Amino acid sequence: MVSRRDHRGRPGLPRRRRDKRTSVKQVVQNYKSGELALLDVPVPGCGPGGVLVRSAYSLISTGTEMMKVSEAGMSMLGKARSRPDQVAKVVQSVATNGVPATYRKVMGKLDSFTPLGYSLSGVVVQVGAGVDDVSVGDLVACAGNEHALHAELNWVPKNLYARVPDGLAARHAAFGTVGSIALQGVRQGEPQLGEVALVIGLGLIGQLVTQLLTASGVRVVGVDPDPVRCELAERLGAAACGDPDSPAVAHSVAELTGGHGVDQVYLAAGGGSNQPVELAARLCRDRGRVVDIGKCRLDLPWNAYYEKELDVRFSRSYGPGRYDPEYELEGRDYPIGYVRWTERRNLACFLDLVARGRVDVEPLVSHTADFDDAVETYRSLEDGGLKAVAVLFRYPEQAVEAPAPEVAVPEVRRPGGAGPARVRAVRTPVRLAFVGAGNYASSMLLPHLTQREGVALSTVVTTTALSGANARRKFGFERATTDLDAVLGDPSVDAVFVVTRHSSHAELTRKALLSGKAVFVEKPLALTEDELAGVLAAVEESGNDRLQVGFNRRFAPLLREARERFGTRTGPGHLRYLVNAGRLDHGSWYLQQGTQGSRFTGEGGHFIDTASWLLGADPVSVYALTTPGNEDLQVVLRYPDGSTATIGYVTTGPAGFPKETLDLVADGRALRLDDFVRATVYDGRRRQWVGSRLPKARDKGQSAELAAFVKAGADRADRCRCRWN
């Protein structure tokens, strides 16, 4: 392989052989079993607003990543103890959805491969629409635990990469993300020239914090029980370092500060000991600053912190923009006049410091491993055989390209013959493709399809390569891909399930209809009237009206039986439907109203469809009223025969109250549904019928809904396939 220089004269980027591949390798871990693997995953697509990056080096954070690896190796009880927040979510899900659905959801998450890695450098191999600040062949540093993974190829959105300065080696640029974390922590401490700082924990982040403070004119005292790390920090600029139990640390602080104590403390340690926060209070000056960067125990000794009036601050990862999907995924930058240092600007700043020699990362590299040896490297770190501050993975130098699309032959002819072959009809399974394989698809749809006769799971299409690989492994898809067009152009695929985020439903449905596929789309079908018009135009243009929206409640067995027991109405009815939707967790994509619509837009169709199905007609008018300050909503629907339905959608109700309760009154009879667990029909003064299920057996109709869709596809004439006579 011949070495060459890139367009800016940087050596070391070889001329690469074109090697078309359908998969790439990625380091993953099964959170349930703790298994580590180098897994083949589909080649990621290059979406708009980002770039496709071929990894050159990626960095193992021996603190954060190894803590995750260690946690995965715990027993189920150990995992529960380490994540009480997740246990609380499981308990709430049981109350809302029942035991079987919750069990499927939890086990689906646990028994999945999760990605590792969040800091790398690599070469841009493809540029998405809307990106104009980098070109193919540029070396970039990338960030993010969903985008800068230990994988041969990653798609990285615009605000999570930065161009590497000329002259900076790729192996050093791989430190960009962890450097940004350290830099953001230092910014939170607001260091000033001549101050003295205490850095507790001299792992990778602590070593970088030490160098950044030294470069800022701050004298640093380091604390770590490992003498090797203490010696390294002193070599890289610390004034003094020592064991936390050593009197020498307190002596050094007193000598450097005239007995006043340090101006700021940076907690870069992990673990369950409360020693770091106690030491911080003891050695910090009056009204000093304590910044938490790592993940250590924070039982603050009240008297010590109160008496000195210490200012406790937290550093949130790489900087402003972190955890904001509009910034990270949609590329919406914060104006520099209001937010000087965003996570992308922090990334670029750190790279510049390394390029100018103000920070030296080479002494931090304890080991460089070939990417093919990734699993063995993690195991060596976990069992203590490899003691390291930072470990780099070095990737093979080869191109990765998606394969050329296959071309379908429209007419089948007899080999050697002059005309079309005689064919015979053979009944074959309905071949399904899934676009999206998130929580709902994996817990509420796919489990009902995997065991169903007459169904073949053909292809799963996902935006992230690993989620597709997980779905293929768990549910038996024949293949996984990130290329939607490959599925829509595949004549063997009969039906497409659209189970993605709300904003993409209409466009994906439109494309699938135009390609001639039957379509099952989760609610909502569309977010706007224009999107709905586009779907209807696709039906008109293609003549393909095989479309089902995922309104599953009308298929719920308990509700269907209650409706049958209630009987046919002769007069108008009044229906009341109370939905206790509850609050969403911070960061949920359901809260992204600008792109995903309101919560009621997303799921309100369920309740309107259920009411209309029970009343046997479509509404002719609607009136809605919202509660100021939240998403609580009252909707009144009127029907042709004078019937009315009132839907109360509340987000502020108590968590212990049932999610859905429904009452229908007409002709002296009443029907009551209590959260799909119990249904009652009243006739006159007595209860005519009571149906009930155990809460754990709550059935909201998904299985019957899917059976109806599959049967509709199987009953069509085009379910017959051609075979040679």
Side-chain angles (χ1 to χ4, degrees):
M1 190 171 289
V2 180
S3 180
R4 63 180 177 88
R5 291 179 178 266
D6 70 358
H7 66 280
R8 289 174 296 171
R10 179 180 296 129
L13 296 179
R15 189 179 304 278
R16 290 174 171 82
R17 171 176 54 86
R18 297 178 66 85
D19 178 22
K20 294 183 178 181
R21 301 168 61 186
T22 59
S23 65
V24 293
K25 293 186 181 300
Q26 179 176 343
V27 179
V28 298
Q29 182 175 36
N30 186 294
Y31 192 73
K32 179 181 178 182
S33 66
E35 173 195 1
L36 287 160
L38 196 59
L39 190 69
D40 284 323
V41 301
V43 172
C46 186
V51 296
L52 210 56
V53 176
R54 185 184 64 250
S55 300
Y57 288 89
S58 62
L59 175 72
I60 295 181
S61 172
T62 52
T64 303
E65 284 192 63
M66 294 314 299
M67 181 172 60
K68 180 178 179 181
V69 169
S70 176
E71 188 177 282
M74 295 178 180
S75 65
M76 294 297 289
L77 181 59
K79 290 183 175 74
R81 286 175 174 169
S82 67
R83 295 299 305 272
D85 56 326
Q86 297 299 320
V87 173
K89 291 180 181 179
V90 170
V91 172
Q92 179 57 42
S93 180
V94 169
T96 303
N97 301 311
V99 172
T102 301
Y103 179 82
R104 287 194 300 268
K105 182 177 180 180
V106 172
M107 287 299 105
K109 281 190 172 183
L110 288 176
D111 192 20
S112 296
F113 284 119
T114 59
L116 293 172
Y118 62 89
S119 188
L120 66 80
S121 66
V123 177
V124 176
V125 296
Q126 190 174 347
V127 176
V131 173
D132 56 9
D133 58 346
V134 292
S135 304
V136 171
D138 284 345
L139 182 64
V140 293
C142 308
N145 59 1
E146 294 181 351
H147 302 286
L149 308 172
H150 296 310
E152 292 178 302
L153 205 64
N154 285 281
W155 179 80
V156 187
K158 182 175 183 177
N159 281 338
L160 292 179
Y161 66 78
R163 190 200 299 262
V164 174
D166 289 341
L168 181 59
R171 62 189 274 111
H172 296 160
F175 281 79
T177 304
V178 290
S180 299
I181 294 171
L183 182 57
Q184 175 63 14
V186 170
R187 294 194 193 283
Q188 290 295 90
E190 299 183 60
Q192 298 183 38
L193 284 169
E195 288 189 330
V196 179
L198 180 70
V199 178
I200 301 178
L202 295 175
L204 178 56
I205 297 296
Q207 297 285 347
L208 292 170
V209 168
T210 297
Q211 290 197 59
L212 289 167
L213 288 169
T214 302
S216 302
V218 175
R219 291 173 294 174
V220 177
V221 176
V223 175
D224 198 286
D226 187 341
V228 175
R229 292 185 174 185
C230 287
E231 188 276 331
L232 176 61
E234 288 181 346
R235 185 153 48 94
L236 293 174
C241 294
D243 187 278
D245 296 322
S246 171
V249 172
H251 177 75
S252 296
V253 169
E255 185 177 346
L256 289 169
T257 65
H260 294 295
V262 299
D263 300 285
Q264 57 214 248
V265 179
Y266 295 88
L267 302 174
S273 171
N274 206 48
Q275 185 185 39
V277 297
E278 294 171 3
L279 182 64
R282 190 162 65 250
L283 298 182
C284 200
R285 68 165 168 81
D286 187 63
R287 292 177 174 81
R289 302 179 292 281
V290 179
V291 181
D292 178 44
I293 305 176
K295 188 179 181 182
C296 65
R297 187 174 174 184
L298 287 175
D299 291 341
L300 302 181
W302 187 86
N303 283 336
Y305 277 72
Y306 172 79
E307 289 172 1
K308 289 188 175 181
E309 198 175 341
L310 297 180
D311 183 359
V312 180
R313 303 179 180 183
F314 290 85
S315 178
R316 189 169 66 180
S317 198
Y318 328 144
R322 187 71 180 112
Y323 309 114
D324 178 355
E326 291 189 357
Y327 177 90
E328 293 191 328
L329 300 180
E330 298 174 26
R332 299 184 184 180
D333 198 6
Y334 301 154
I336 195 169
Y338 292 90
V339 184
R340 177 61 182 93
W341 293 110
T342 61
E343 58 180 315
R344 190 187 195 197
R345 291 194 272 268
N346 272 339
L347 179 60
C349 177
F350 181 79
L351 294 173
D352 176 69
L353 290 170
V354 178
R356 291 190 291 116
R358 303 302 299 274
V359 175
D360 187 3
V361 298
E362 183 59 33
L364 305 179
V365 181
S366 306
H367 181 69
T368 301
D370 289 333
F371 183 59
D372 288 341
D373 299 328
V375 173
E376 291 74 16
T377 303
Y378 271 107
R379 288 173 179 162
S380 184
L381 284 168
E382 189 176 14
D383 62 24
L386 174 60
K387 297 185 182 298
V389 175
V391 174
L392 289 173
F393 286 139
R394 177 178 49 225
Y395 288 76
E397 296 174 338
Q398 59 183 357
V400 183
E401 297 182 11
E406 297 178 359
V407 179
V409 179
E411 184 180 22
V412 180
R413 307 186 73 87
R414 185 192 303 274
R422 294 175 58 196
V423 297
R424 58 186 175 86
V426 177
R427 180 74 67 178
T428 60
V430 181
R431 293 178 58 79
L432 307 179
F434 263 67
V435 183
N439 287 336
Y440 188 80
S442 297
S443 62
M444 304 305 296
L445 299 181
L446 283 166
H448 296 298
L449 291 169
T450 51
Q451 304 301 323
R452 186 174 297 281
E453 291 185 3
V455 168
L457 296 179
S458 169
T459 310
V460 57
V461 185
T462 55
T463 54
T464 60
L466 184 55
S467 60
N470 274 322
R472 183 182 183 187
R473 180 180 69 89
K474 287 192 291 186
F475 301 110
F477 282 97
E478 295 172 10
R479 65 182 180 127
T481 182
T482 59
D483 185 2
L484 174 65
D485 292 338
V487 171
L488 298 184
D490 184 350
S492 71
V493 172
D494 302 306
V496 172
F497 278 69
V498 176
V499 200
T500 54
R501 292 191 178 185
H502 300 161
S503 59
S504 60
H505 285 189
E507 178 62 13
L508 291 174
T509 299
R510 189 187 69 81
K511 288 182 177 180
L513 289 170
L514 290 173
S515 69
K517 312 299 185 188
V519 181
F520 180 102
V521 56
E522 259 306 319
K523 48 77 192 167
L525 172 60
L527 294 178
T528 67
E529 291 187 14
D530 287 343
E531 288 183 352
L532 181 59
V535 173
L536 296 176
V539 172
E540 181 71 21
E541 178 183 344
S542 65
N544 177 16
D545 61 356
R546 295 175 295 157
L547 172 64
Q548 179 175 336
V549 182
F551 296 142
N552 52 277
R553 282 153 174 79
R554 63 162 62 199
F555 293 93
L558 193 61
L559 185 58
R560 293 183 73 87
E561 186 173 359
R563 182 195 187 201
E564 183 178 345
R565 298 275 185 172
F566 185 86
T568 304
R569 289 185 299 108
T570 58
H574 173 71
L575 185 145
R576 181 194 64 84
Y577 201 152
L578 177 62
V579 182
N580 182 30
R583 292 178 173 85
L584 292 173
D585 293 331
H586 175 73
S588 170
W589 64 266
Y590 268 86
L591 296 173
Q592 299 172 26
Q593 291 197 22
T595 55
Q596 304 301 329
S598 69
R599 288 184 68 185
F600 190 80
T601 301
E603 65 176 354
H606 266 320
F607 318 119
I608 295 173
D609 177 76
T610 304
S612 300
W613 173 74
L614 280 169
L615 293 172
D618 292 330
V620 294
S621 67
V622 58
Y623 175 78
L625 181 67
T626 186
T627 304
N630 58 50
E631 292 190 319
D632 291 3
L633 192 71
Q634 292 290 326
V635 178
V636 179
L637 304 168
R638 186 170 62 86
Y639 291 84
D641 66 351
S643 296
T644 60
T646 302
I647 300 172
Y649 185 84
V650 297
T651 62
T652 54
F657 191 77
K659 181 178 180 181
E660 298 178 42
T661 53
L662 181 152
D663 296 299
L664 171 62
V665 179
D667 301 336
R669 289 168 290 159
L671 180 157
R672 165 162 288 184
L673 176 72
D674 294 306
D675 211 19
F676 298 90
V677 172
R678 179 183 175 92
T680 309
V681 174
Y682 296 84
D683 186 3
R685 296 184 178 180
R686 61 186 180 86
R687 288 184 298 183
Q688 181 187 44
W689 173 82
V690 178
S692 63
R693 291 174 172 270
L694 294 174
K696 66 179 182 180
R698 183 184 281 110
D699 184 346
K700 294 186 179 181
Q702 283 90 354
S703 180
E705 167 193 48
L706 295 172
F709 179 76
V710 171
K711 183 177 185 299
D715 285 346
R716 296 184 66 88
D718 61 357
R719 299 292 345 109
C720 296
R721 288 289 180 260
C722 297
R723 296 291 185 269
W724 294 109
N725 264 340

